[in-house]
Structure formats: structure tokens, C-alpha cells
Amino acid sequence: MAKEINTIGVLTSGGDAPGMNAAIRAVVRTALARGKKVKGIMKGYHGLLREEIIDMDINSVSDIIQKGGTILYTARCMEFMTPEGQKKAADICKKHGIDGLVVIGGDGSFRGAQKLSHLGVNTVGVPGTIDLDIACTDFTIGFDTAVNTAMEAIDKVRDTSTSHERCSIIEVMGRHAGYIALWCGIANGAEDILLPERYDNNEQKIINHIITNRKRGKKHHIIINAEGIGHSASMAKRIEAATGMETRATILGHMQRGGSPTCKDRVYASIMGAYAVDLLCAGKSNRVVAYKHGEYIDYEIDEALAMKKDIDEYQFEISQLLSGKW
Ligand code: ADP
Ligand code: F6P
């Protein structure tokens, strides 16, 4: 029989994401309601290694559900990537009586949680990343807010692009994953959508598309380019030279990671945070909370990390068709 958990720690790690605060709040309040103590670990694994650990009570998470970012701060930590760093972190958890740990972050953060669980710290991961690139889940905290922020910004660029009859290349976040680009591409009615998972490096196809659209009277040409492809500024120069259409590049950048979370991000993050605590209370460890086919479920971290995710082929095909390519 698993030993009962007395103290639950919570940290946020990797890139921040709107809705992380809602998850922290849910972890703290659910744990307190289940009779556990709660410790907040500042700045992810970096803060854990430096023992930046605070006691949390019901008031610690008041007035945060509507706020972007993470009240616990976040970091990337090289030292924690080493076996020595991981052993030190596990010892620090034990020293502070942390026998259950909720890690809110992406795949990389889950790899860290997996290592800690193998060193005897019960861990549960909660998916937090604007990239939507965690294979085991259809929802990650922050994606909904980020994609809505990007969509609104792109609508604004489109207004000025149309007025000036320009081509606009708008670069959205996603170093390895094109979900923000794909969703904005569809939601903003972009003429071209460039995803790291699908891009064939064929600029001539884009140029031909612009020329065809100009001939049928299109006033603008919006290209959504994912960060993973990048080079938006030089692409703009080449496209302008080849088409004669004035072309500007806009990189949306970190604005996509900030701001007040949407209702969906707040609610799903709240349920996932609570679910993570209940897994720990039930004696489970080395798990990831997921939302799959309309249900909250959980996976063994090893199984979750072994899963592969790719852009849905049908969604991709329709995005191309709606952008006028058939
Ligand atoms: P994300 O969690 O958003 O994927 P990162 O990949 O940057 O973000 O990972 C966040 C942190 O998790 C890293 O800085 C590191 O401390 C830890 N981490 C990442 N990969 C591993 C790994 N393979 N083993 C142990 N810790 C890891
Ligand atoms: O993982 C979220 C994300 O915003 C990615 O889309 C992006 O590639 C990366 O983080 C950028 O991270 P940072 O600028 O914080 O190093």
C-alpha cells in the first residue's frame, strides 16, 4: 500500500502559459481541502535546487485566476538535466517533507518529473504550454489564450494590409509545432499557412499564389508563418522582389504568451490542477493529466512521452483548401 502523502509541492517550468495560475490555485485549494500541506516552489527546477520554497495557504492563491504568467515564476534549468542535479532536487524535496509534486509545464518538464519519481518523489505533470505539442492530450494550458491573442493581432495587421494592398507575413510562436499557425491560418482566413511539420521550402508556390490572387483582385495576401520556419523578414524581401507586391513582416513574439487567460484555459487548468492532486492523494505517481476525446484522464509519464503528435491531415487539407488552393 502506498504511503499517504502529507505535503504537496507545486512548480511551473519551461515557457509560461496563460492559465498556469488557475492550475496553481486549483492545486493549492484542492490539496488544502484534502487535508494536505502545500509548498510552492519558485522558478521551476532552478528554484527547487536553490530551495526557493514557500508555504502556501488559501490566501496565497487569491486574486490570481484572471492573471497571465505564473505567480511561482518559471525557468529553464541546465543543472537539473544532470543526474547529480536530479538527486540533489530529490533530496531537497525530502528535506522539505515534499512527498508529492505537481509539475506544470511541457514535455521537457515532464522528463524532469519522471526522473524525480524514479528517485522516490511522487510526481504528477499538468500540461502547460501555448504550443499544444504534448502528444497525450488534446488540451494544453495556454493554447486557447495564445491563439486568440494571435488571432486578434492578425486581424489588425490584416486591416492595414488591405488598406495598403500589401502582403503581410505574420510570424507566430511554435518552434517545433505549427498548431498556433494552423489555427490562426484557419481563423484569420490566411492565404498561406506555413507549418514546420509540413513546409516544403517552396517559396515559388507562395509567389505564384500571390500573383494568381492579385489577378483575381485580392487586395491583401496574409501569410501565417510559424516560428520554426522563421526568416520572415528575408522571405518578405524575396516575395516583394518576385511579385512587385509591397510585403511586410510582423513577428508577434512573446505577446502571445501573456495576457489574461480565456475561460477555457481557466476552467480546464482548474480541473487539471485538482485532478493532479487527487491522483497524488490516491497514491499515484509518475502520471500526466490529459484531456482526450472529451474526458480528463491520466497516463504513465513514460507512456505519455513515448507518444508522437502530428498535425491532423484532414485539418491541414481543409486549411489549404479554404486558403484558396485546390
Ligand atoms: P517544456 O517543459 O515547456 O517542454 P523545456 O524543454 O525547456 O520546457 O524544459 C523545462 C525544464 O525541464 C528544463 O530547463 C530542464 O530543467 C527540465 N528538463 C527538460 N528535459 C529534461 C530531461 N530530459 N531530464 C531532466 N530534466 C529535463
Ligand atoms: O514553448 C512555448 C514557446 O513560446 C515556443 O512557442 C517558443 O519557441 C519558445 O517557447 C520560446 O521560448 P523563450 O523565448 O522563452 O526562450
Side-chain angles (χ1 to χ4, degrees), residues 87-258:
K87 168 82 174 54
K88 183 175 165 193
D91 289 344
I92 290 170
C93 285
K94 284 170 201 156
K95 177 176 160 195
H96 288 262
I98 296 170
D99 38 20
L101 179 66
V102 178
V103 172
I104 306 166
D107 272 352
S109 303
F110 294 166
R111 284 182 210 285
Q114 181 187 39
K115 302 280 165 46
L116 285 178
S117 81
H118 293 156
L119 291 165
V121 182
N122 299 303
T123 58
V124 175
V126 171
T129 165
I130 64 163
D131 290 348
L132 194 68
D133 62 347
I134 300 177
C136 69
T137 183
D138 298 334
F139 170 87
T140 63
I141 296 170
F143 174 74
D144 190 57
T145 308
V147 87
N148 275 289
T149 301
M151 181 189 75
E152 284 170 20
I154 294 163
D155 279 345
K156 293 183 172 113
V157 177
R158 183 192 177 115
D159 287 346
T160 168
S161 207
T162 310
S163 306
H164 287 264
E165 299 188 53
R166 280 179 179 152
C167 169
S168 281
I169 304 178
I170 304 160
E171 191 173 308
V172 296
M173 271 191 158
R175 200 171 291 159
H176 305 292
Y179 293 97
I180 298 180
L182 177 65
W183 278 56
C184 287
I186 297 173
N188 292 100
E191 279 68 37
D192 277 288
I193 308 165
L194 313 183
L195 314 177
E197 296 89 339
R198 292 285 188 282
Y199 189 48
D200 56 7
N201 265 303
N202 188 343
E203 250 172 50
Q204 193 55 48
K205 259 202 312 214
I206 304 171
I207 290 163
N208 294 346
H209 193 206
I210 294 172
I211 293 169
T212 311
N213 278 355
R214 289 294 276 174
K215 281 191 189 140
R216 71 177 175 95
K218 268 247 166 200
K219 297 290 184 208
H220 61 241
H221 194 100
I222 303 292
I223 302 170
I224 308 294
N225 186 28
E227 177 192 359
I229 296 168
H231 303 291
S232 297
S234 55
M235 202 185 276
K237 284 199 183 113
R238 288 191 297 274
I239 286 177
E240 180 167 315
T243 62
M245 188 175 191
E246 230 187 329
T247 303
R248 296 289 161 86
T250 305
I251 297 174
L252 296 185
H254 288 101
M255 68 174 292
Q256 295 160 94
R257 283 227 304 249

